[in-house]
């Protein structure tokens, strides 16, 4: 069995290598543009501790929007369902940072995984946590079971310096009353959150908690309730991949979340977590080789939620 | 085991009875407005032939948009993936019959389960089938294994007489070149398709083929390929419930399709199909008691794709 | 004085000849695409009967949207201000045939000079006139003082065969209840109205009645009231040139109306009417040489409403 | 003659007094909400020095968006037509501070009299003037011929504290590259500009320069060129009244600009400037009694550009 999964990862590796030059590394953030487009890694982690990996699975990268999953989990753990009074749970159907939807729907973002929604989550964290910046890191470190997970201040500063569309969104939501704190504070913290760096192994350990319905595999601690897990998984399924949720559901069939750093973290509830990283993006903003690798994985293993 | 499911349906029945007055029967189609809002039925059908039902599970109702699933299945069975050159596969994020998206995306509908998308499917059926009106009925009859499934001409005429928004969409798409046939012909056929009448039992038998990955349970005939099944299921999951796909994924967690006649058909791939009917709708256009019943069902049985 | 104006027209003619190849003849209507792009004419007609012209000022062309002015005038003459309960009077700020505005503003067009607004006017004419098709022609013939003004059935048929965006709009407005008659009847009549053919001389005579505040210069008949004239002139000023009302107000400074046939009719209230025709259009859909000619005319004569 | 105009103003005063309670004082800026809704004044100033006034014509009020006219005039005086590469000249057809247009038109505002457009003008002033804050005041003081015209720091601070929609717009435009300076600097200066206080008499003197085609009546200085005057007047005509340009053109027929402080300044080029002030606004954001007063004035005097 062990051989089988390792062999599958090796086959996948061979098949995606030719694709590594096809994607386009995110260049709107100068710091991200410096990443080597030839990087590729997978980490597969089962609830029963079996683990398989290949490639650059232990090299840190900017998790970017994948942090939105941790932000949501920590916030619902504190506040429960009332989070969803401030942000909706439906797919957006628009490019991931559109203002139009926000204006027509009176400042209520469509879901917590688009930028506007994550900005509202950030605002909630400022209102209800003592030290959200520290607490998010602590939360992730606890999920992973490892201390050296940090923000990258250079990346955060780089994003702040060009994050005008996010600033537009947070100000628009403030004009509708759906941001309670100072807009600069919200933006600063949001960009910090996006700048977290982890490797495939660390992300796989963190997401395994979600694959285990919100309960730690090793510490057996319940991080989020069964119902909160279910809600979060549904949001990952329908909203986790920018404007490609349908395509991802078809090709991969796992709930998950991608980031413009080229990472994708996904789960098969009750079974495993899997994380791929490849910095080249497709036109919709998802890792090109990463999506292909996950598609090959679920096809070869015959596992998917469907 | 048999007792268990029957008992669950009975419990659900009791719990939803108080909700039967809360929804609002669709009244934009005069014929639909006449339906008794107190109706409620469930039919649950396993691949292994076990079957359970309760209430008005053998009374026919207007399946309305549920027919979009049959339309899509028949069309991809004939044309394969090239269907998706004319209609996208992503959630819409807008009210189910919005023109704005269509105008900004140059006449390409977001997915085949919104009205505009189903109109394109209808157009494809006219272009590529000999007698699409007859063939869709034959296809459904074969899936069900029963002959007496028919269009309701009164309902179709009733919809035609007030279907101006659909007419607007088909004309707009025609202006973009994404409708090839005569607009009146497309509209007429589309309204016929919406007017099909089936009961919970019949729908459950038809959807069981989809639960069986596109292969007939009794006749063992392959209606759609494994890949076509996967695509269709992904679309049901992300786009099957108007602007409530995320809510449905959370509360119920099954791929499916609803109609304004108050029906909802859903599947757990590899396990069962389940159909509920209750004509009162919630503000998003899905059966209010139907959604509750399915939520209770997946909770009580612990089954969901997640 | 007579010399002066004739000389000005001659100078203008010389200056615009090099521009005649720069515009693009409307080609979305096959019949219009056949027009010679080298055509150019001006007719200038004063209230005091002085008249000057140059070029192809006596050759008929398809007046297209210029007919919207006659449609509005005839309808307000019959129904008064209540016309403006069904159509607004503000500039649209969008491409001239957008559906987005119509959907967000619940089927109420922004003004009577965009296609959607003129379709509502057509609907009002069907509801309130005995024979609108005949009566509009009679109205124009009376304004001009000449009988041989007709519809061009070939042009009307040509537009009907490709008028899907107009069909989309009329159906959308019907869905909002802002079209009372049969959509096919409205569309047919609308396309007839667009197909009227007149020459610069005839249009100048008709528009002179508007320059004379709605009162015939020769027959002294009051066609529209002073207040109706004021309203119509304001609409021509702010909405008469698709998405170029501001540019036209600056460069020309006269209220008027253009058509995709390449005609532009304008007035200086109390002074004169002026009509230019040149089939090549600029990217906004207004006659390229026609706008230049009118700009030169108001500059050289020092006349403009400002 | 002198009696006539004074008498007209007195008649108007009587007629509008009953309307003074009907409007709604702008309350989104706390400082503005404190203004007495019973205030009303008119100042009428002819090129030939004749002057008439009534009511509170010498009481200062917050000119708000009327300052956009001065901002545009000063900027085109410095930079000429190239201003219009950064801001368009067409009516917007949307509520006065909409983001949708801005997003679809890639950060180019529709015209310099909506907030987004004035923010671009502010940005241009920062880039090209040495001390724009001082220079705008100097410019206005010179137009008026009077020194005591100032910013109201309390009003500016009040607007800054709730100006999130403007912040959203400036950030959005920055994301498209159409704001060159620091967004905070642009916003601060913009809110300063909005906070200028003047009375009807002072505004009438300043606008008389525009009524005189951009040339000072007393100092004979040319402030803007004839062509710049023509452009600015066209923009006032088509874009000066939020989403009521068409209504204003009909009812009043003069180019002008209104502000949410309840002021309206208008001109009849070559004849006079006229300023009214009444703080109660209609639902479109224009002074309710002010519009009525101007309508009565142009009707009673038979003057309008049409």
């Amino acid at each position: 069995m062990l051989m089988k999964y390792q062999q599958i990862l090796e086959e996948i590796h061979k098949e995606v290598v030719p694709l590594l030059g096809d994607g386009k590394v995110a260049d709107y953030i100068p710091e991200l543009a410096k990443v080597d487009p030839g990087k590729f890694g997978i980490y597969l982690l089962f609830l029963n501790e079996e683990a398989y990996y290949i490639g650059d699975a232990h090299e840190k990268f900017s998790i970017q929007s994948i942090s939105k999953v941790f932000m949501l989990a920590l916030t619902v753990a504190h506040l429960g369902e009332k989070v969803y009074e401030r942000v909706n749970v439906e797919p957006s159907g628009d490019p991931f940072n559109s203002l139009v939807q926000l204006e027509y729907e009176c400042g209520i973002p469509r879901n917590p995984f688009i930028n506007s929604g994550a900005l509202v989550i950030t605002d909630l964290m400022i209102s209800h946590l003592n030290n959200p910046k520290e607490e998010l890191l602590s939360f992730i470190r606890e999920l992973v079971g490892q201390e050296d997970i940090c923000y990258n201040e250079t990346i955060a500063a780089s994003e702040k310096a060009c994050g005008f569309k996010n600033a537009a969104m947070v100000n628009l939501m403030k004009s509708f009353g759906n941001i309670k704190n100072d807009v600069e504070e919200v933006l600063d913290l949001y960009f910090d959150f996006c700048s977290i760096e982890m490797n495939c192994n660390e992300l796989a350990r963190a997401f395994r908690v979600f694959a285990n319905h919100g309960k730690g595999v090793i510490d057996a601690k319940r991080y989020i309730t069964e119902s909160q897990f279910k809600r979060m998984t549904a949001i990952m399924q329908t909203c986790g991949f920018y404007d490609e949720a349908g395509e991802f559901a078809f090709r991969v069939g796992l709930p998950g979340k991608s980031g413009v750093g080229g990472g994708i973290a996904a789960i098969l509830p009750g079974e495993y977590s899997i994380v791929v990283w490849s910095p080249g993006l497709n036109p919709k903003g998802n890792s090109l080789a990463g999506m292909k690798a996950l598609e090959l994985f679920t096809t070869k293993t015959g596992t998917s939620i469907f």
Side-chain angles (χ1 to χ4, degrees), chain A:
Chain A
M1 187 69 158
L2 190 138
M3 265 317 290
K4 182 180 140 217
Y5 284 112
Q6 193 59 40
Q7 201 177 326
I8 286 171
L9 296 196
E10 279 162 21
E11 285 172 20
I12 292 170
H13 195 186
K14 264 183 216 139
E15 292 187 54
V16 303
V17 159
L19 302 176
L20 292 183
D22 293 358
K24 193 171 162 354
V25 174
D27 57 4
Y28 72 98
I29 307 167
E31 281 298 315
L32 288 184
K34 299 177 186 165
V35 177
D36 174 1
K39 294 288 179 184
F40 178 82
I42 309 184
Y43 203 99
L44 168 65
L45 182 59
F46 285 86
L47 296 196
N48 69 4
E49 296 298 333
E50 278 181 52
Y52 310 88
Y53 66 88
I54 203 155
D56 309 307
H58 292 87
E59 180 166 336
K60 301 231 182 202
F61 59 90
S62 192
I63 71 169
Q64 292 291 318
S65 288
I66 299 173
S67 66
K68 291 176 169 73
V69 178
F70 301 123
M71 291 159 60
L72 179 63
L74 180 59
T75 307
V76 298
H78 272 77
L79 302 179
E81 283 289 305
K82 77 178 174 183
V83 165
Y84 301 111
E85 294 163 12
R86 299 268 304 276
V87 57
N88 214 323
V89 297
E90 297 299 332
S92 74
D94 274 321
F96 66 101
N97 48 6
S98 172
L99 282 149
V100 173
Q101 174 272 325
L102 219 41
E103 189 161 29
Y104 283 119
E105 296 184 357
C106 300
I108 305 295
R110 289 240 112 206
N111 66 68
F113 288 172
I114 50 176
N115 291 8
S116 52
L119 286 160
V120 166
I121 297 295
T122 306
D123 185 57
L124 281 163
M125 291 170 75
I126 295 172
S127 297
H128 295 281
L129 304 186
N130 291 323
N131 186 338
K133 189 170 171 183
E134 279 313 302
E135 290 178 47
L136 186 71
L137 271 196
S138 302
F139 179 68
I140 298 173
R141 287 167 177 169
E142 203 180 352
L143 289 172
V144 177
Q146 183 180 314
E147 285 305 301
D148 69 330
I149 289 160
C150 299
Y151 299 115
N152 178 323
E153 306 290 347
T154 313
I155 292 278
S158 181
E159 294 212 49
K160 274 171 217 180
C162 67
F164 303 110
K165 200 144 185 183
N166 286 307
M169 285 189 287
V170 78
N171 275 291
L172 179 58
M173 292 188 289
K174 180 94 183 176
S175 80
F176 281 114
N178 199 25
I179 291 290
K180 309 300 181 188
N181 298 286
D182 179 71
V183 298
E184 289 302 320
E185 190 181 355
V186 173
L187 282 167
D188 281 358
L189 188 57
Y190 171 78
F191 289 127
D192 284 335
F193 289 164
C194 291
S195 78
I196 292 170
E197 293 183 329
M198 295 172 76
N199 61 34
C200 293
N201 167 271
E202 292 155 359
L203 272 171
R205 280 188 277 157
F207 269 72
R208 187 171 60 163
V209 178
F210 303 134
N212 197 31
H213 290 221
K215 201 172 155 187
V217 173
I218 292 159
D219 61 7
K221 175 174 172 181
R222 178 150 287 289
Y223 288 90
I224 53 174
T225 69
E226 182 72 29
S227 170
Q228 287 163 356
F229 151 76
K230 208 172 154 189
R231 172 63 85 186
M232 209 173 77
T233 307
I235 300 173
M236 285 199 280
Q237 179 71 20
T238 50
C239 319
F241 299 92
Y242 306 123
D243 203 16
E244 235 178 356
E247 187 67 18
F248 194 85
F250 164 58
R251 286 176 47 193
V252 181
L254 301 177
K257 183 74 199 84
S258 66
V260 293
I264 305 178
I267 60 176
L268 184 63
E271 299 285 335
Y272 61 73
S273 63
I274 184 166
V275 177
V276 296
W277 171 51
S278 172
L281 307 179
N282 69 19
K284 296 286 180 79
N286 295 308
S287 173
L288 190 148
M291 274 194 72
K292 185 64 185 172
L294 288 174
E295 178 183 2
L296 289 169
F297 180 78
T298 54
T299 304
K300 284 171 193 286
T301 59
T303 58
S304 112
I305 60 168
F306 298 126

